[in-house]
Amino acid sequence: MPALVFDCDGVLADTERYGHLPAFNQTFADVGLPVRWSEDEYAEKLLIGGGKERMASLLTPEFVAANGLPADPDGQREVLADWHRRKTAIYTTMVADGRLPGRPGVARLVEEAHDAGWALAVASTSAEPSVRAVLEHVVGAGRARDFTVLAGDIVPAKKPAPDIYLLALDRLGVAPDSAVVVEDSRNGLLAADGAGLTCLVTVNGYTEREDFAEAALVVSSLGDPDGERFTVLANRSAARPGGWITIDDVAALLKEA
């Protein structure tokens, strides 16, 4: 059984700009921090894998002293855990309210993969409640139950380390040449490539200028027959997509690999 493994943020939905960024900024306001990340600043933070890790980048000695935050490692871990819980609650509420629609073609491709007998998984460095909320919102609660969900602090090293994709291979019981990963960023691509996996990249506004040299196929989105068409940005595979990405196109990536 081949496997189709999705990243979450920026792949299932455009969560970074319309979900995570406002949730981070709301959290900072709620805890009284003089921080409000702009879109450009957040684009830099996206180079850091994991929400707690992005928050931790604030904790310079100067910032800690100026804002009366704990200087010891244990105290900082507690503060970060509290901030991250608050941020996750804000974010999951946004998802539940329907404020983060799925990206074009995701639900359709998931149905095609399921009907063709592919195993389905999500592998993300985001908190598991956030990932499950997005997954259920995009593909429906029933189909979400067919997914293996790997998220959050489930592995010691986050993307671009390959750990989460190596774990996905183990949990799914498939070989690297039987799985395709759908990613949207260079960090995600490097994680997939490091695990020996074939990668299909769907770019978004934050990542469209990144280097995707290792990807088999790079597209603007997965596309839909009755909605947004898509553009092939780079193709190093045997796939020859039409107006949207189908499960046959994904299978062609595996044959090429």
Side-chain angles (χ1 to χ4, degrees):
M1 179 185 295
L4 184 57
V5 185
F6 294 86
D7 176 41
C8 178
D9 297 313
V11 171
L12 297 183
D14 194 359
T15 57
E16 298 293 4
R17 176 175 282 107
Y18 301 113
H20 288 294
L21 175 56
F24 276 120
N25 284 336
Q26 183 62 55
T27 300
F28 299 147
D30 289 350
V31 300
L33 291 178
V35 178
R36 184 173 181 81
W37 286 336
S38 68
E39 288 201 4
D40 288 342
E41 288 171 326
Y42 189 58
E44 293 296 320
K45 296 299 180 183
L46 286 175
L47 300 177
I48 303 171
K52 285 195 295 292
E53 289 77 5
R54 290 168 197 159
M55 288 175 157
S57 69
L58 294 172
L59 299 181
T60 63
E62 296 78 13
F63 187 88
V64 166
N67 291 279
L69 298 170
D72 62 290
D74 288 342
Q76 290 189 356
R77 276 193 293 270
E78 290 181 10
V79 165
L80 287 169
D82 176 62
W83 292 352
H84 197 248
R85 279 192 297 271
R86 291 170 180 264
K87 181 259 174 183
T88 299
I90 293 168
Y91 176 81
T92 52
T93 298
M94 295 172 70
V95 175
D97 289 344
R99 293 165 61 182
L100 304 174
R103 289 196 67 191
V106 173
R108 172 189 55 76
L109 185 61
V110 165
E111 289 303 309
E112 290 183 19
H114 177 266
D115 292 345
W118 288 56
L120 296 165
V122 173
S124 171
T125 56
S126 290
E128 184 172 342
S130 298
V131 172
R132 289 190 180 277
V134 172
L135 179 63
E136 291 185 5
H137 180 66
V138 173
V139 305
R143 183 62 67 230
R145 288 193 285 271
D146 294 318
F147 277 74
T148 297
V149 177
L150 307 165
D153 298 321
I154 197 168
V155 290
K158 295 186 176 181
K159 302 173 186 179
D163 300 37
I164 196 157
Y165 285 122
L166 293 171
L167 179 61
L169 291 172
D170 180 67
R171 291 283 181 89
L172 293 169
V174 299
D177 60 1
S178 295
V180 173
V181 169
V182 185
E183 272 284 359
D184 72 312
S185 70
R186 177 150 185 81
N187 273 353
L189 169 61
L190 291 175
D193 188 64
L197 295 167
T198 300
C199 192
L200 162 62
V201 171
T202 63
V203 301
N204 60 55
Y206 280 120
T207 66
E208 59 190 356
R209 293 182 179 84
E210 293 184 2
D211 177 9
F212 296 116
E214 298 85 355
L217 182 62
V218 183
V219 295
S220 58
S221 75
L222 297 177
D224 261 328
D226 300 320
E228 178 180 321
R229 307 301 261 189
F230 82 120
T231 302
V232 175
L233 304 175
N235 188 358
R236 305 173 184 91
S237 76
R240 295 296 179 263
W244 51 87
I245 296 295
T246 69
I247 195 61
D248 289 336
D249 296 320
V250 177
L253 303 184
L254 276 183
K255 292 175 184 177
E256 180 71 1

